[in-house]
mmCIF file of all heavy atoms in Angstrom:
data_model
loop_
_atom_site.group_PDB
_atom_site.id
_atom_site.type_symbol
_atom_site.label_atom_id
_atom_site.label_comp_id
_atom_site.label_asym_id
_atom_site.label_seq_id
_atom_site.Cartn_x
_atom_site.Cartn_y
_atom_site.Cartn_z
ATOM 1 N N GLU A 329 -8.613 -15.239 -8.555
ATOM 2 C CA GLU A 329 -9.059 -15.611 -7.222
ATOM 3 C C GLU A 329 -8.363 -14.722 -6.205
ATOM 4 O O GLU A 329 -7.151 -14.490 -6.321
ATOM 5 C CB GLU A 329 -8.710 -17.089 -6.956
ATOM 6 C CG GLU A 329 -9.063 -17.562 -5.554
ATOM 7 C CD GLU A 329 -8.479 -18.946 -5.255
ATOM 8 O OE1 GLU A 329 -7.285 -19.147 -5.563
ATOM 9 O OE2 GLU A 329 -9.221 -19.785 -4.747
ATOM 10 N N GLN A 334 -8.858 -18.034 -1.629
ATOM 11 C CA GLN A 334 -7.955 -19.184 -1.528
ATOM 12 C C GLN A 334 -7.939 -19.705 -0.092
ATOM 13 O O GLN A 334 -7.990 -20.917 0.144
ATOM 14 C CB GLN A 334 -6.543 -18.795 -1.964
ATOM 15 C CG GLN A 334 -5.582 -19.964 -1.998
ATOM 16 C CD GLN A 334 -4.118 -19.537 -1.889
ATOM 17 O OE1 GLN A 334 -3.720 -18.957 -0.886
ATOM 18 N NE2 GLN A 334 -3.345 -19.825 -2.910
ATOM 19 N N ARG A 350 -5.083 -29.546 -5.280
ATOM 20 C CA ARG A 350 -5.025 -28.093 -5.146
ATOM 21 C C ARG A 350 -3.978 -27.678 -4.110
ATOM 22 O O ARG A 350 -3.237 -26.706 -4.304
ATOM 23 C CB ARG A 350 -6.407 -27.566 -4.734
ATOM 24 C CG ARG A 350 -6.469 -26.050 -4.494
ATOM 25 C CD ARG A 350 -6.330 -25.244 -5.778
ATOM 26 N NE ARG A 350 -6.005 -23.871 -5.534
ATOM 27 C CZ ARG A 350 -6.886 -22.906 -5.195
ATOM 28 N NH1 ARG A 350 -8.183 -23.205 -5.073
ATOM 29 N NH2 ARG A 350 -6.491 -21.683 -5.017
ATOM 30 N N ASN A 353 -0.726 -27.899 -5.675
ATOM 31 C CA ASN A 353 -0.642 -26.777 -6.609
ATOM 32 C C ASN A 353 -0.212 -25.506 -5.892
ATOM 33 O O ASN A 353 0.678 -24.771 -6.352
ATOM 34 C CB ASN A 353 -2.015 -26.581 -7.270
ATOM 35 C CG ASN A 353 -1.934 -25.726 -8.526
ATOM 36 O OD1 ASN A 353 -1.221 -26.031 -9.462
ATOM 37 N ND2 ASN A 353 -2.670 -24.631 -8.546
ATOM 38 N N ILE A 354 -0.820 -25.241 -4.747
ATOM 39 C CA ILE A 354 -0.491 -24.050 -3.961
ATOM 40 C C ILE A 354 0.964 -24.099 -3.496
ATOM 41 O O ILE A 354 1.721 -23.141 -3.630
ATOM 42 C CB ILE A 354 -1.453 -23.926 -2.745
ATOM 43 C CG1 ILE A 354 -2.868 -23.596 -3.218
ATOM 44 C CG2 ILE A 354 -0.944 -22.871 -1.774
ATOM 45 C CD1 ILE A 354 -3.914 -23.660 -2.111
ATOM 46 N N LYS A 357 3.505 -23.873 -6.622
ATOM 47 C CA LYS A 357 3.508 -22.607 -7.350
ATOM 48 C C LYS A 357 3.848 -21.398 -6.481
ATOM 49 O O LYS A 357 3.976 -20.293 -6.976
ATOM 50 C CB LYS A 357 2.184 -22.409 -8.075
ATOM 51 C CG LYS A 357 2.036 -23.357 -9.245
ATOM 52 C CD LYS A 357 0.721 -23.197 -9.948
ATOM 53 C CE LYS A 357 0.647 -24.151 -11.133
ATOM 54 N NZ LYS A 357 -0.680 -24.165 -11.762
ATOM 55 N N SER A 358 3.989 -21.640 -5.192
ATOM 56 C CA SER A 358 4.443 -20.567 -4.281
ATOM 57 C C SER A 358 5.951 -20.609 -4.125
ATOM 58 O O SER A 358 6.511 -19.731 -3.466
ATOM 59 C CB SER A 358 3.775 -20.744 -2.908
ATOM 60 O OG SER A 358 2.360 -20.657 -3.029
ATOM 61 N N THR A 533 -6.110 -19.064 -10.330
ATOM 62 C CA THR A 533 -6.088 -19.192 -8.877
ATOM 63 C C THR A 533 -5.071 -18.198 -8.315
ATOM 64 O O THR A 533 -4.217 -17.684 -9.038
ATOM 65 C CB THR A 533 -5.715 -20.609 -8.436
ATOM 66 O OG1 THR A 533 -4.377 -20.876 -8.942
ATOM 67 C CG2 THR A 533 -6.681 -21.638 -8.970
ATOM 68 N N TRP A 534 -5.167 -17.917 -7.023
ATOM 69 C CA TRP A 534 -4.259 -16.950 -6.416
ATOM 70 C C TRP A 534 -2.809 -17.383 -6.591
ATOM 71 O O TRP A 534 -1.939 -16.545 -6.862
ATOM 72 C CB TRP A 534 -4.597 -16.779 -4.923
ATOM 73 C CG TRP A 534 -3.700 -15.844 -4.197
ATOM 74 C CD1 TRP A 534 -2.890 -16.094 -3.125
ATOM 75 C CD2 TRP A 534 -3.504 -14.440 -4.502
ATOM 76 N NE1 TRP A 534 -2.227 -14.979 -2.735
ATOM 77 C CE2 TRP A 534 -2.565 -13.929 -3.561
ATOM 78 C CE3 TRP A 534 -4.043 -13.573 -5.452
ATOM 79 C CZ2 TRP A 534 -2.152 -12.612 -3.539
ATOM 80 C CZ3 TRP A 534 -3.618 -12.241 -5.448
ATOM 81 C CH2 TRP A 534 -2.693 -11.789 -4.508
ATOM 82 N N GLU A 535 -2.549 -18.698 -6.490
ATOM 83 C CA GLU A 535 -1.161 -19.143 -6.636
ATOM 84 C C GLU A 535 -0.685 -19.087 -8.074
ATOM 85 O O GLU A 535 0.520 -19.152 -8.331
ATOM 86 C CB GLU A 535 -0.988 -20.560 -6.070
ATOM 87 C CG GLU A 535 -1.768 -21.655 -6.813
ATOM 88 C CD GLU A 535 -3.137 -21.908 -6.271
ATOM 89 O OE1 GLU A 535 -3.680 -21.004 -5.578
ATOM 90 O OE2 GLU A 535 -3.711 -22.989 -6.520
ATOM 91 N N ASP A 536 -1.616 -18.959 -9.031
ATOM 92 C CA ASP A 536 -1.234 -18.879 -10.451
ATOM 93 C C ASP A 536 -1.080 -17.427 -10.943
ATOM 94 O O ASP A 536 -0.426 -17.199 -11.975
ATOM 95 C CB ASP A 536 -2.279 -19.575 -11.324
ATOM 96 C CG ASP A 536 -1.801 -20.938 -11.821
ATOM 97 O OD1 ASP A 536 -0.706 -20.999 -12.364
ATOM 98 O OD2 ASP A 536 -2.548 -21.917 -11.629
ATOM 99 N N ALA A 537 -1.688 -16.472 -10.240
ATOM 100 C CA ALA A 537 -1.715 -15.102 -10.742
ATOM 101 C C ALA A 537 -0.307 -14.493 -10.885
ATOM 102 O O ALA A 537 0.039 -13.908 -11.926
ATOM 103 C CB ALA A 537 -2.586 -14.245 -9.828
ATOM 104 N N PRO A 539 2.730 -16.112 -10.966
ATOM 105 C CA PRO A 539 3.528 -16.769 -12.002
ATOM 106 C C PRO A 539 3.127 -16.372 -13.430
ATOM 107 O O PRO A 539 3.991 -16.194 -14.296
ATOM 108 C CB PRO A 539 3.259 -18.261 -11.768
ATOM 109 C CG PRO A 539 2.986 -18.342 -10.299
ATOM 110 C CD PRO A 539 2.228 -17.085 -9.995
#
Side-chain angles (χ1 to χ4, degrees):
E329 177 190 46
Q334 185 202 62
R350 178 70 197 279
N353 196 58
I354 291 171
K357 289 180 179 172
S358 300
T533 60
W534 179 240
E535 65 269 20
D536 256 309

